[in-house]
Structure formats: C-alpha cells, structure tokens
Amino acid sequence: MTTSSTLQAMLTIGGEPQPGAAGSYPVHNPARPAEIVGQAPAADRAQLDAAVSAARNAAPGWRGLDVAERVATVAVAAATAGEQLKDHDGARVYTSEHGKVLAEAAFEIDTAPMLAAILGSMAEAALAPERIDPQAPYPRLHREPYGVAALIIPFNWPLAVMMTKLTSALTAGNTAVVKLPPTVPLTALQFGAAFAAALPPGVVNVLAAPGIELAHALVTHPGIDLISLTGGPATGRAVMAAAAPRLTPVLFELGGNDAAIIAPDMTISDQLIEQLVAATYTTGGQVCMAIKRLYAPRDRVDELSEAVLARCEREVVGDGLAAEVTLGPLHTAAGRDRVEALVKDAAAHGATVRTAGRIRAADADACGYFVLPTVVTGLARDSALASEEQFGPVLPIFGYDAIEDAVAAANDTDFGLTASVWTGDDALGEKVAGQLVAGTVSINCHGMAAQDPRVPFGGVGQSGLGREFGADGLRAFTQPRGYVRQPAPQ
C-alpha cells in the first residue's frame, strides 16, 4: 500500500484533542484504494462514556445562555472551522478520502458556515415562547432542549450534514456527541475539532471508529436524550430498535427514491438537460435527494435519453483531484458493487442500458470505484432498480401516456423524500406538485438546486421521521413544555 498523507487526526472529547484509545485505522482513497490518505483515531467505550459525560456536564451552562448568545457563538465557531480547513488545504484531503471532485469538496467546506448562518438567523423566532392567548401571559408554551443529542453523520456530505445537525441541536440548547462516518472521518475530525474549540468545553464532542460497535454503544447509551441520524432505512430500523428499550426519541433522514416528472409541454432543451444531469449525477448520484426515477411522455423517452447521454459524454470519471475530472468514484467498493448489480439485473430483465463519458486514462488501472454515467430505459416498474435507491450515477427513464399515470407511478414507492415536476404551465405545475407525496416537492428544479435551508427537509414513509432545516428543523431538537396558571387558592 502507498500513503499520500501523514495526516493523523484526533478525537475531540471535553474540549481536548485525544488519540483513539482503541488505536487507529487507515482511511483509503476510493480513486486508488491501495492508497492510504491518513490514519483515523478509533474511540473505545471509555472514550464514548467520557464524551457523553462531558456533554452532560456542559449542558446546564450551555442551556442557560439565551438563544441569541448560542446563535452568535455557533456562527463564530462554524466560520472559524471553515477558515481553518481552507488554511490547511482541507478540500484536497477531503477529496482524497471521499472521492468527490475538488470543486465540490471546496463548495461543501464553504457551505457549512453558510448553513450555520442561515439556520441561526431563524432560531430566535422559531424557538421563542408562545402565548396560547396573545392577550394573556398564561397558558404559555416554551421549547426546551432534550439534553445530550447523538448526531450520526453520513458519508456523502458529512461536513454539511454535521453543520446542519450541530447548528439545530446547539441553538436549541442541546449539547452533542457526534459520530462520524468511518470511511471519511479525517476532514470532519479537523472541522469538528476547530468548531468545538470555539465553544465551551464539552458542548461538542467528536468521535470516530471503524465498524458499527461505537455507533451501537452511542445510541444505547443511557446518557443520550435524542438521536439524529442521516443514513438508510436499514440503519434507521436498527437504530430505532436499539433506542426502543429507553424510548429515546429519534430523528431520521433515510434517503429516497425520488421521482421527477417531465410534463408534456416541456421542450427538451439544453438548459433542461443540464439541470436534470446536475440533479442526477452530482457526487456520483450519492445524494439522498437526487433524481432516482425520471418520467417523460412515452413518445419523448428516446429524445430525452439521447439528450442526457449526449450531455454525459462530456463527463470524465476519475481521481477528483485531477483538473479534467468532472465525476469522482463511488465512495466504497460495496456501493459500486450494489449499483453494478442493480444495472446488471435490469439488463437481465430486458432493459436497455447505456453509458456515456470516459474514465481518465491515468486512472484506468487504479482499481478505483468508478462507474460511468448510465441511462436505463425499457425498465419494468417493479424492478429492483426502480423500487430501490441506487445511490449511484444511474438514471432510469420511464414513459407515461397520461400525466396522471406518471403521478401514480412516482408515488408508487415506500420512500418519500423529494419529488419534482417540470413544466412551463404554472397551473399544471401546482396541480401535479400537490399530488406528489414527498417531504419536499419542487417545480422546475430538483436535488441540491431545490434545497433551501429555510424550508423543512425530511421524508415520509421509509424516508424518515422528523425534519431538518427551517423552523421545524430547529424545533425538532426541542420538547414543548406547557405552562398554565390559576389564581392562588383563598
């Protein structure tokens, strides 16, 4: 094996950097799996206990600050952490351990402080006490923090998701123990350390470890009052089962099988195709709200698929640090294998599978987890690729005869994270949007272009429980407490 970096990250517990008591483990480059990017610390159970204890000890003081003080402190911490990553060339390390292209890594580092600022700007109004009768001081509703929140972060956008969860949890008055994804912890550990250092000790604690043992110990820990997870349905069910004995509240964002409907009036223009490609293939399709199924009038399917493939011919797949590369590898071998198995199954059942773009010549023999942009047509609607979240650069395109049929097909899923309709007819757009079943429904946009931190984000069905972003996302980290008063007995 080769090593591209001597980076040795540290855990953050009680405001102090610590090596992993269970040793360290290598973090590999998905573009060149034999390459070790750096060593990540492995926390043990004693360090988990220490992190939870530090968060509990810090809770009264942090909770005692007013919302405006917490918002200001979090904003400074986020900006400080973002600048520190830039100063230490964090985007290059992040690309090496994750796989996403350098520009996307830099964008995510810039996005994290922006999310803190946007959510923070909403916090005072979202968390303010409410009078049930505006004319009387009682009855009254206050929003109280849970206490110590366990925040479990996914691999695909770990910095942005960590900042979203931390901002909401902390501004609501909770303290936190963060569990990072084991395969991409290095940059997030650096970000978390800088963020925590700008806060009172113990308010934020950041842990990493390989495997699932530490995560299981965290969600079953008696010192945890709330669990917030971004992951998949299987993980969500496992966490819910683990949390059940103590009835620990949970907030889940569990991905989606998101549908986009092209209405009959839409012209297959270059602008439309650019937007569809971005909404489908960003981060190699490893985005929870990416387009996973695309519906078009039956007589337009060939035109649409040809246009998407023609656009994807410009994609260069390879090492995200290379200037010419536009699409990095999938993050893990398991993720690549699953996507390839779904595509193979679709082809075996009669679907037409076509790829576009090329793998950069310098990466062709690197054994990276590369998958070319793929379009699948002629797919049965009950196939695995249609019913599961592929989480890769694969777009199934289906034909429909009436738009009502497209809406029914789009809603025929156990998921319900996001959905979209594309049309120049405002009335039709509003009508179809109102019929789509998802946590967020958009018109003429999808994916990251349709995400607004001011709007609650989350799903229905297998896509999760609760919300992030917006006032509802902030309130999700609180418990309502009612206050009533009657005259003193005479």
Side-chain angles (χ1 to χ4, degrees):
M1 291 196 176
T2 60
T3 302
S4 67
S5 170
T6 57
L7 178 64
Q8 183 78 47
M10 303 282 274
L11 309 171
T12 299
I13 301 173
E16 298 294 331
Q18 293 189 19
S24 63
Y25 66 97
V27 176
H28 295 267
N29 184 341
R32 290 185 296 279
E35 177 183 288
I36 297 173
V37 180
Q39 296 290 328
D44 68 0
R45 178 56 193 254
Q47 288 182 308
L48 170 60
D49 291 341
V52 174
S53 178
R56 297 207 75 82
N57 291 337
W62 182 251
R63 176 178 181 160
L65 301 177
D66 63 37
V67 175
E69 289 179 285
R70 294 196 296 260
V71 167
T73 305
V74 168
V76 170
T80 299
E83 287 303 316
Q84 188 169 122
L85 277 190
K86 291 180 184 178
D87 291 344
H88 290 83
D89 207 10
R92 296 189 68 83
V93 175
Y94 185 25
T95 290
S96 295
E97 64 172 326
H98 184 282
K100 62 176 61 183
V101 296
L102 186 60
E104 192 176 299
F107 171 77
E108 187 174 353
I109 291 171
D110 288 339
T111 297
M114 292 169 52
L115 289 171
I118 293 170
L119 292 172
S121 71
M122 306 176 68
E124 285 193 77
L127 303 174
E130 300 175 24
R131 290 184 176 185
I132 306 303
D133 179 353
Q135 305 304 316
Y138 290 91
R140 201 167 65 227
L141 173 68
H142 287 209
R143 301 187 183 278
E144 304 292 342
Y146 280 91
V148 178
L151 310 180
I152 303 176
I153 312 302
F155 76 81
N156 57 339
W157 282 73
L159 300 178
V161 175
M162 180 167 67
M163 196 67 260
T164 298
K165 292 183 188 295
L166 279 173
T167 300
S168 298
L170 298 184
T171 57
N174 302 280
T175 55
V177 178
V178 179
K179 167 62 175 68
L180 296 176
T183 53
V184 56
L186 300 175
T187 313
L189 282 166
Q190 289 185 304
F191 185 94
F195 183 87
L199 301 168
V203 170
V204 170
N205 306 270
V206 188
L207 305 179
I212 63 172
E213 291 79 7
L214 187 72
H216 183 268
L218 176 61
V219 300
T220 58
H221 199 287
I224 293 299
D225 302 302
L226 174 71
I227 300 165
S228 176
L229 161 76
T230 298
T235 303
R237 286 189 287 270
V239 170
M240 181 175 280
R246 297 188 61 254
L247 297 179
T248 306
V250 295
L251 301 171
F252 289 160
E253 194 270 273
L254 303 178
N257 188 14
D258 299 5
I261 298 174
I262 307 299
D265 68 289
M266 283 299 291
T267 299
I268 310 302
S269 65
D270 290 345
Q271 183 180 8
L272 173 65
I273 296 303
E274 285 289 341
Q275 290 179 263
L276 293 176
V277 167
T280 301
Y281 297 108
T282 295
T283 321
Q286 299 167 118
V287 178
C288 56
M289 64 279 198
I291 296 174
K292 311 295 196 322
R293 296 172 292 147
L294 184 59
Y295 296 88
R298 197 171 302 280
D299 61 357
R300 310 286 294 285
V301 168
D302 288 346
E303 178 189 5
L304 183 61
S305 59
E306 292 295 340
V308 171
L309 286 163
R311 167 58 186 83
C312 287
E313 280 297 338
R314 307 207 306 261
E315 300 295 328
V316 180
V317 180
D319 184 346
L321 290 175
E324 67 184 293
V325 168
T326 61
L327 198 65
L330 294 192
H331 183 57
T332 65
R336 176 206 57 195
D337 293 347
R338 183 174 182 277
V339 169
E340 290 181 344
L342 287 170
V343 172
K344 184 177 180 180
D345 175 76
H349 287 85
T352 298
V353 175
R354 289 182 290 174
T355 61
R358 62 181 176 87
I359 296 176
R360 188 175 75 117
D363 297 317
D365 298 321
C367 301
Y369 309 137
F370 303 124
V371 178
L372 290 172
T374 303
V375 171
V376 179
T377 54
L379 182 68
R381 289 185 177 178
D382 61 351
S383 66
L385 181 57
S387 59
E388 300 178 18
E389 182 182 27
Q390 60 267 42
F391 227 57
V394 178
L395 179 62
I397 302 179
F398 300 91
Y400 68 82
D401 297 311
I403 200 162
E404 293 79 10
D405 299 331
V407 172
N411 290 338
D412 186 19
T413 176
D414 293 333
F415 294 90
L417 189 60
T418 74
S420 66
V421 56
W422 301 71
T423 177
D425 183 332
D426 291 346
L428 178 63
E430 293 289 341
K431 177 183 177 181
V432 172
Q435 296 171 339
L436 291 168
V437 180
T440 302
V441 179
S442 52
I443 301 172
N444 297 330
C445 53
H446 197 119
M448 296 180 64
Q451 193 166 52
D452 186 331
R454 299 169 299 177
V455 177
F457 179 74
V460 300
Q462 296 294 301
S463 287
L465 303 166
R467 292 294 181 267
E468 295 182 325
F469 291 149
D472 287 330
L474 291 162
R475 292 171 184 151
F477 284 87
T478 66
Q479 304 179 82
R481 178 181 295 173
Y483 290 84
V484 296
R485 187 178 73 183
Q486 296 290 341
Q490 297 300 314

Coordinates of all heavy atoms in Angstrom, one line a residue, residues 41-102:
P41 N -8.4 8.1 14.3 CA -8.4 7.5 15.6 C -9.7 6.7 15.8 O -10.7 7.0 15.3 CB -8.4 8.8 16.5 CG -9.2 9.8 15.6 CD -8.8 9.5 14.2
A42 N -9.5 5.6 16.6 CA -10.6 4.7 16.9 C -11.0 4.9 18.4 O -10.2 4.5 19.3 CB -10.3 3.2 16.6
A43 N -12.1 5.4 18.7 CA -12.5 5.6 20.1 C -13.0 4.3 20.7 O -13.5 3.5 20.0 CB -13.7 6.6 20.1
D44 N -12.8 4.1 21.9 CA -13.3 3.0 22.6 C -14.5 3.3 23.5 O -14.9 4.5 23.6 CB -12.2 2.3 23.4 CG -11.7 3.1 24.6 OD1 -12.2 4.2 24.9 OD2 -10.8 2.6 25.3
R45 N -15.0 2.4 24.2 CA -16.2 2.6 25.0 C -15.9 3.6 26.1 O -16.8 4.5 26.5 CB -16.7 1.3 25.6 CG -18.0 1.4 26.5 CD -19.1 2.1 25.8 NE -20.2 2.6 26.7 CZ -21.3 2.0 26.8 NH1 -21.6 0.9 26.0 NH2 -22.3 2.4 27.6
A46 N -14.7 3.6 26.7 CA -14.4 4.5 27.8 C -14.4 6.0 27.2 O -14.9 6.9 27.9 CB -13.1 4.2 28.4
Q47 N -13.9 6.1 26.0 CA -13.9 7.5 25.5 C -15.3 7.9 25.1 O -15.7 9.1 25.2 CB -13.0 7.5 24.2 CG -11.5 7.5 24.6 CD -10.6 7.5 23.4 OE1 -10.8 6.8 22.4 NE2 -9.7 8.4 23.4
L48 N -16.2 7.0 24.7 CA -17.6 7.3 24.5 C -18.2 7.8 25.8 O -18.9 8.8 25.8 CB -18.3 6.1 23.9 CG -19.9 6.3 23.8 CD1 -20.3 7.4 23.0 CD2 -20.5 5.0 23.3
D49 N -18.0 7.0 26.8 CA -18.5 7.4 28.1 C -18.0 8.8 28.5 O -18.8 9.6 29.1 CB -18.1 6.4 29.2 CG -18.8 5.1 29.0 OD1 -19.9 5.0 28.3 OD2 -18.3 4.1 29.6
A50 N -16.8 9.1 28.3 CA -16.2 10.4 28.6 C -16.8 11.5 27.8 O -17.1 12.6 28.3 CB -14.7 10.4 28.4
A51 N -17.1 11.2 26.5 CA -17.7 12.2 25.7 C -19.1 12.5 26.1 O -19.5 13.7 26.2 CB -17.7 11.7 24.2
V52 N -19.9 11.5 26.4 CA -21.3 11.7 26.9 C -21.2 12.5 28.2 O -22.0 13.4 28.5 CB -22.0 10.4 27.0 CG1 -23.4 10.6 27.7 CG2 -22.2 9.7 25.7
S53 N -20.3 12.1 29.1 CA -20.2 12.8 30.4 C -19.8 14.2 30.2 O -20.4 15.1 30.9 CB -19.2 12.1 31.3 OG -19.0 12.7 32.5
A54 N -18.9 14.5 29.3 CA -18.5 15.9 29.1 C -19.7 16.7 28.5 O -19.9 17.9 28.9 CB -17.4 16.0 28.1
A55 N -20.5 16.1 27.6 CA -21.7 16.8 27.1 C -22.7 17.1 28.2 O -23.3 18.1 28.2 CB -22.3 16.0 26.0
R56 N -22.9 16.1 29.1 CA -23.9 16.3 30.2 C -23.4 17.4 31.1 O -24.2 18.2 31.6 CB -24.1 15.0 30.9 CG -24.7 13.9 30.1 CD -25.5 12.9 30.9 NE -26.8 13.5 31.3 CZ -27.9 13.5 30.5 NH1 -27.8 13.1 29.2 NH2 -29.0 14.1 30.9
N57 N -22.1 17.4 31.4 CA -21.6 18.4 32.3 C -21.7 19.8 31.7 O -21.9 20.8 32.5 CB -20.1 18.1 32.7 CG -20.0 16.9 33.6 OD1 -20.9 16.5 34.3 ND2 -18.8 16.2 33.5
A58 N -21.6 19.9 30.4 CA -21.6 21.2 29.8 C -23.0 21.7 29.5 O -23.3 22.9 29.3 CB -20.9 21.1 28.4
A59 N -24.0 20.8 29.6 CA -25.4 21.1 29.3 C -26.0 22.2 30.1 O -26.6 23.1 29.5 CB -26.2 19.8 29.3
P60 N -25.9 22.3 31.4 CA -26.6 23.3 32.1 C -26.1 24.7 31.7 O -26.9 25.7 31.5 CB -26.3 23.0 33.6 CG -26.0 21.5 33.6 CD -25.3 21.3 32.3
G61 N -24.8 24.9 31.6 CA -24.3 26.2 31.2 C -24.6 26.6 29.8 O -25.0 27.8 29.6
W62 N -24.6 25.7 28.9 CA -25.0 26.0 27.5 C -26.5 26.3 27.4 O -26.9 27.3 26.8 CB -24.6 24.8 26.6 CG -24.9 25.1 25.2 CD1 -25.8 24.5 24.4 CD2 -24.2 26.0 24.3 NE1 -25.8 25.0 23.1 CE2 -24.8 25.9 23.0 CE3 -23.1 26.9 24.5 CZ2 -24.4 26.7 21.9 CZ3 -22.7 27.6 23.4 CH2 -23.3 27.5 22.1
R63 N -27.2 25.5 28.0 CA -28.7 25.7 28.0 C -29.1 27.0 28.7 O -30.0 27.7 28.3 CB -29.4 24.6 28.8 CG -30.9 24.7 28.9 CD -31.4 23.5 29.6 NE -32.8 23.5 29.8 CZ -33.6 22.4 30.0 NH1 -33.0 21.2 30.1 NH2 -34.9 22.5 30.2
G64 N -28.3 27.5 29.6 CA -28.5 28.7 30.4 C -28.3 29.9 29.5 O -28.8 31.0 29.9
L65 N -27.6 29.9 28.4 CA -27.4 31.0 27.6 C -28.7 31.3 26.8 O -29.5 30.4 26.5 CB -26.3 30.8 26.5 CG -24.9 30.5 27.1 CD1 -24.0 30.2 25.9 CD2 -24.4 31.6 27.9
D66 N -29.0 32.5 26.5 CA -30.2 32.8 25.7 C -29.9 32.4 24.2 O -28.8 32.2 23.8 CB -30.7 34.2 25.8 CG -29.7 35.3 25.3 OD1 -29.0 35.0 24.3 OD2 -29.7 36.3 25.9
V67 N -31.0 32.3 23.4 CA -30.8 31.8 22.1 C -29.9 32.7 21.3 O -29.0 32.2 20.5 CB -32.2 31.7 21.4 CG1 -32.1 31.4 19.9 CG2 -33.1 30.7 22.1
A68 N -30.0 34.0 21.4 CA -29.1 34.9 20.6 C -27.6 34.6 20.9 O -26.8 34.6 20.0 CB -29.5 36.3 20.9
E69 N -27.3 34.4 22.2 CA -25.9 34.1 22.6 C -25.4 32.8 21.9 O -24.3 32.7 21.4 CB -25.8 34.0 24.1 CG -25.9 35.3 24.8 CD -25.8 35.1 26.3 OE1 -26.7 34.6 26.9 OE2 -24.7 35.4 26.9
R70 N -26.3 31.8 22.0 CA -25.9 30.5 21.4 C -25.8 30.6 19.8 O -24.8 30.1 19.3 CB -27.0 29.4 21.7 CG -27.1 29.1 23.2 CD -27.8 27.8 23.4 NE -29.2 27.8 23.1 CZ -30.2 28.0 23.9 NH1 -30.0 28.2 25.2 NH2 -31.5 28.0 23.5
V71 N -26.7 31.3 19.2 CA -26.6 31.6 17.8 C -25.2 32.2 17.4 O -24.5 31.8 16.5 CB -27.8 32.4 17.2 CG1 -27.5 32.9 15.8 CG2 -29.0 31.6 17.3
A72 N -24.9 33.3 18.1 CA -23.7 34.0 17.8 C -22.4 33.2 18.0 O -21.5 33.2 17.2 CB -23.6 35.3 18.7
T73 N -22.4 32.4 19.1 CA -21.3 31.5 19.4 C -21.1 30.4 18.3 O -20.0 30.2 17.8 CB -21.4 30.9 20.8 OG1 -21.6 31.9 21.7 CG2 -20.2 30.1 21.1
V74 N -22.2 29.8 17.9 CA -22.2 28.8 16.9 C -21.7 29.4 15.5 O -20.9 28.8 14.8 CB -23.6 28.1 16.7 CG1 -23.6 27.2 15.5 CG2 -23.9 27.3 17.9
A75 N -22.2 30.6 15.2 CA -21.8 31.2 13.9 C -20.3 31.4 13.9 O -19.6 31.2 12.9 CB -22.5 32.5 13.7
V76 N -19.7 31.9 15.0 CA -18.3 32.2 15.0 C -17.5 30.8 14.9 O -16.5 30.7 14.2 CB -17.9 32.9 16.3 CG1 -16.4 32.9 16.5 CG2 -18.5 34.3 16.3
A77 N -18.0 29.8 15.6 CA -17.3 28.5 15.6 C -17.3 27.9 14.2 O -16.3 27.4 13.7 CB -18.0 27.6 16.6
A78 N -18.5 28.0 13.5 CA -18.6 27.5 12.1 C -17.6 28.2 11.2 O -16.9 27.6 10.4 CB -20.0 27.6 11.7
A79 N -17.6 29.6 11.3 CA -16.7 30.3 10.4 C -15.2 30.0 10.7 O -14.4 29.9 9.8 CB -17.0 31.8 10.6
T80 N -14.9 29.9 12.0 CA -13.5 29.6 12.4 C -13.1 28.2 11.8 O -12.0 28.0 11.3 CB -13.4 29.6 13.9 OG1 -13.7 30.9 14.4 CG2 -12.0 29.2 14.3
A81 N -14.0 27.2 11.9 CA -13.7 25.9 11.5 C -13.5 25.8 10.0 O -12.6 25.2 9.4 CB -14.8 24.9 11.9
G82 N -14.4 26.6 9.3 CA -14.3 26.6 7.8 C -13.0 27.3 7.3 O -12.3 26.8 6.4
E83 N -12.6 28.3 8.0 CA -11.4 29.0 7.6 C -10.1 28.2 7.9 O -9.2 28.1 7.1 CB -11.2 30.4 8.3 CG -12.2 31.4 7.8 CD -12.0 31.7 6.3 OE1 -10.8 31.8 5.9 OE2 -13.0 31.8 5.6
Q84 N -10.2 27.4 9.0 CA -9.1 26.6 9.3 C -8.9 25.5 8.3 O -7.7 25.1 7.9 CB -9.2 26.0 10.7 CG -8.0 25.2 11.2 CD -8.1 24.9 12.7 OE1 -8.0 23.7 13.1 NE2 -8.2 25.9 13.5
L85 N -10.0 24.9 7.8 CA -9.8 23.9 6.8 C -9.2 24.5 5.5 O -8.4 23.8 4.9 CB -11.2 23.3 6.5 CG -11.7 22.2 7.4 CD1 -13.0 21.5 6.8 CD2 -10.7 21.1 7.6
K86 N -9.7 25.7 5.2 CA -9.1 26.3 4.0 C -7.6 26.5 4.2 O -6.8 26.3 3.2 CB -9.8 27.6 3.7 CG -11.2 27.5 3.2 CD -11.8 28.9 3.0 CE -13.3 28.8 2.7 NZ -13.9 30.2 2.5
D87 N -7.2 27.0 5.3 CA -5.8 27.2 5.6 C -4.9 26.0 5.5 O -3.8 26.0 5.2 CB -5.6 27.9 7.0 CG -6.2 29.3 7.0 OD1 -6.4 29.9 5.9 OD2 -6.4 29.8 8.1
H88 N -5.5 24.8 5.9 CA -4.8 23.6 5.9 C -5.1 22.7 4.6 O -4.9 21.5 4.6 CB -5.2 22.8 7.1 CG -4.6 23.4 8.4 ND1 -5.2 24.4 9.0 CD2 -3.5 23.1 9.1 CE1 -4.5 24.7 10.1 NE2 -3.5 24.0 10.2
D89 N -5.6 23.4 3.6 CA -5.9 22.7 2.3 C -6.8 21.5 2.5 O -6.6 20.4 2.0 CB -4.6 22.2 1.7 CG -4.7 22.1 0.1 OD1 -5.7 22.6 -0.4 OD2 -3.7 21.5 -0.5
G90 N -7.9 21.8 3.3 CA -8.8 20.7 3.7 C -9.5 20.1 2.5 O -9.8 18.9 2.5
A91 N -9.8 20.9 1.4 CA -10.5 20.4 0.3 C -9.8 19.2 -0.4 O -10.4 18.3 -0.8 CB -10.8 21.5 -0.7
R92 N -8.4 19.3 -0.5 CA -7.7 18.3 -1.1 C -7.7 17.0 -0.3 O -7.8 15.9 -0.8 CB -6.2 18.8 -1.4 CG -6.1 19.9 -2.3 CD -4.7 20.2 -2.7 NE -4.1 19.2 -3.5 CZ -4.3 19.0 -4.8 NH1 -5.0 19.9 -5.5 NH2 -3.7 18.0 -5.5
V93 N -7.6 17.1 1.0 CA -7.6 15.9 1.9 C -9.0 15.3 1.8 O -9.2 14.1 1.6 CB -7.3 16.3 3.3 CG1 -7.5 15.1 4.2 CG2 -5.9 16.8 3.4
Y94 N -10.0 16.2 1.8 CA -11.4 15.7 1.7 C -11.7 15.0 0.4 O -12.3 13.9 0.4 CB -12.4 16.9 1.9 CG -13.8 16.6 1.9 CD1 -14.3 15.4 2.4 CD2 -14.8 17.5 1.6 CE1 -15.6 15.1 2.4 CE2 -16.1 17.3 1.6 CZ -16.5 16.0 2.1 OH -17.9 15.8 2.1
T95 N -11.2 15.5 -0.7 CA -11.4 14.8 -2.0 C -10.7 13.5 -2.0 O -11.2 12.5 -2.4 CB -10.8 15.7 -3.1 OG1 -11.7 16.8 -3.3 CG2 -10.7 14.9 -4.4
S96 N -9.5 13.4 -1.4 CA -8.7 12.2 -1.4 C -9.4 11.1 -0.5 O -9.4 9.9 -0.9 CB -7.3 12.4 -0.8 OG -6.6 13.2 -1.7
E97 N -10.0 11.5 0.6 CA -10.7 10.4 1.4 C -12.1 10.1 1.0 O -12.6 9.1 1.3 CB -10.7 10.9 2.9 CG -11.5 12.1 3.2 CD -11.6 12.3 4.7 OE1 -11.6 11.4 5.5 OE2 -11.6 13.5 5.1
H98 N -12.7 11.1 0.3 CA -14.1 10.9 -0.1 C -14.3 10.4 -1.5 O -15.0 9.4 -1.8 CB -14.9 12.1 0.1 CG -16.4 12.0 -0.2 ND1 -16.9 11.9 -1.5 CD2 -17.5 11.8 0.6 CE1 -18.2 11.7 -1.5 NE2 -18.6 11.6 -0.2
G99 N -13.6 11.1 -2.5 CA -13.7 10.8 -3.9 C -14.4 11.9 -4.7 O -14.1 12.0 -5.9
K100 N -15.2 12.7 -4.1 CA -15.9 13.8 -4.8 C -14.8 14.8 -5.4 O -13.7 14.9 -4.9 CB -16.9 14.6 -3.9 CG -16.3 15.3 -2.7 CD -17.4 16.1 -2.0 CE -18.5 15.2 -1.4 NZ -19.5 16.0 -0.8
V101 N -15.2 15.4 -6.5 CA -14.2 16.3 -7.2 C -13.9 17.5 -6.3 O -14.6 17.9 -5.4 CB -14.8 16.8 -8.5 CG1 -15.0 15.6 -9.5 CG2 -16.1 17.6 -8.3
L102 N -12.7 18.1 -6.5 CA -12.1 19.1 -5.7 C -13.1 20.3 -5.5 O -13.2 20.9 -4.4 CB -10.8 19.6 -6.2 CG -10.0 20.5 -5.4 CD1 -9.7 19.9 -4.0 CD2 -8.7 20.9 -6.1

